[in-house]
Amino acid sequence: MSNDAPLSGTQLTIAAAGYTAEIATVGATLRSLQHQDRDLVVPFAADEVRPVFRGAVLAPWPNRVVDGRYTFDGQDHELALTEPKRSHALHGLVGWTDFDVESVAPDRVVLTTTIAAQEGYPFRVVVRVEYRVDEQGLHTTVTGTNTGDRPAPWGTGPHPYLSAGTGTVDDWTLTLPAAEVLEVTEDRLVPTALVPVHDEFDLRTPTLIGTRFIDHAFTGFDRADGTASITLTAADGHGVRMVFGDECAWAQVHTADHVVPEYHRAGLAVEPMTCAPDAFNAGAERGLVVLDPGASFPASWTIQAV
């Protein structure tokens, strides 16, 4: 990235079938996505420091590693605490990395970076991010490839704030066909028990979000056609849908309650994830992927207009 590039990095635009996506290289971030001039995600300006992980790629873990500590392959590791108020390591290691541009086409862009072996994560993994648009929407595939000589823990996911249209999260209707929710502690959002959805978290039928607060991971999705989908609609019936394959068994959903007024409930974070929060500690039971030397793991999701 040149010194005169915008703060969010080199800007790349792809378009097809009425969709236009703007990608920024810092964090391989989805900076904006429109369908026929309607925002499907909450955008931010090119020459702006990206707010609250908006649109970033999360790797080599999504969500949190509690206390930044985990044990893998018999060794203890300690990560930097990047969520200081809750004392966790948040959203991986590439969120502020300026990715290299591997290729660009009118409807497709590929970005890459290498996570260098480092204290807390002594593994070398190449991260490849492909964005592609067609009549079905914006497709994203993130692939982790272990180029080191030892197994590496891995997880990934995106962090878009979906927008159904005018208004705020309170005005929109959510359909989230998940059977289970991961309960967390109120103060630090530390995962506790995986339970059947209940009360305000049973969103399997279209439900007005209203004033409810959500910052939880869901699983057990209805996958009648092999994919899962989370749909957000406004009062006029228009909206946005996130569709993801079975490599993403989890999705974090957050109503974006924030102390900064212009961020507060402006969009709904919908984050398909290959693993649950704190999977570096919970292991394969919560979806942790182990990349053997030379192995790759792709995960894909699609954002489409409704």
Side-chain angles (χ1 to χ4, degrees):
M1 179 174 64
S2 66
N3 289 334
D4 59 354
L7 291 177
S8 65
T10 301
Q11 305 297 302
L12 304 162
T13 301
I14 55 176
Y19 288 93
T20 302
E22 295 181 337
I23 313 300
T25 55
V26 173
T29 295
L30 174 61
R31 193 174 63 74
S32 73
L33 174 63
Q34 292 187 328
H35 179 254
Q36 297 179 349
D37 298 324
R38 177 167 63 88
D39 284 324
L40 301 183
V41 301
V42 181
F44 67 97
D47 202 26
E48 179 181 0
V49 175
R50 187 193 60 229
V52 292
F53 282 92
R54 190 181 296 175
V57 167
L58 316 178
W61 70 88
N63 211 277
R64 296 163 177 83
V65 177
V66 172
D67 296 320
R69 296 183 179 136
Y70 67 100
T71 300
F72 180 76
D73 205 18
Q75 294 188 346
D76 295 333
H77 302 284
E78 188 167 355
L79 296 155
L81 300 182
T82 51
E83 191 182 26
K85 291 181 180 179
R86 294 190 176 114
S87 297
H88 303 316
L90 185 68
H91 289 334
L93 299 170
V94 301
W96 299 107
T97 297
D98 189 30
F99 279 64
D100 296 322
V101 180
E102 179 181 293
S103 63
V104 180
D107 60 352
R108 177 179 176 269
V109 63
V110 177
L111 306 176
T112 62
T113 194
T114 298
I115 301 172
Q118 59 197 271
E119 186 174 352
Y121 192 79
F123 316 100
R124 189 173 62 225
V125 177
V126 172
V127 183
R128 182 180 187 270
V129 181
E130 178 190 62
Y131 287 105
R132 178 175 57 86
V133 283
D134 62 16
E135 64 279 359
Q136 296 299 316
L138 173 70
H139 308 281
T140 308
T141 300
V142 177
T143 304
T145 301
N146 183 358
T147 59
D149 60 2
R150 57 192 293 194
W154 171 258
T156 190
H159 205 303
Y161 286 81
L162 302 186
S163 174
T166 58
T168 68
V169 166
D170 303 50
D171 307 310
W172 301 334
T173 294
L174 175 62
T175 308
L176 200 171
E180 296 176 294
V181 62
L182 186 60
E183 294 185 326
V184 294
T185 61
E186 184 175 351
D187 55 347
R188 298 180 61 214
L189 303 182
V190 175
T192 55
L194 184 63
V195 301
V197 291
H198 56 88
D199 300 329
E200 70 269 31
F201 300 127
D202 189 350
L203 302 159
R204 289 174 288 185
T205 58
T207 304
L208 182 69
I209 296 173
T211 59
R212 78 188 65 212
F213 168 81
I214 308 170
D215 195 0
H216 294 74
F218 294 81
T219 192
F221 287 94
D222 179 0
R223 296 180 184 269
D225 65 351
T227 63
S229 63
I230 297 172
T231 304
L232 189 66
T233 55
D236 64 2
H238 290 102
V240 59
R241 179 178 292 121
M242 175 72 79
V243 182
F244 45 100
D246 58 9
E247 67 274 27
C248 292
W250 297 81
Q252 183 81 14
V253 176
H254 179 33
T255 45
D257 300 72
H258 204 280
V259 296
V260 179
E262 58 265 37
Y263 301 165
H264 183 65
R265 299 177 76 88
L268 185 74
V270 176
E271 310 161 44
M273 304 183 298
T274 58
C275 58
D278 201 33
F280 272 30
N281 284 300
E285 178 182 341
R286 295 275 171 87
L288 181 68
V289 173
V290 176
L291 288 175
D292 290 327
S296 297
F297 188 90
S300 301
W301 45 87
T302 298
I303 302 174
Q304 57 189 212
V306 173

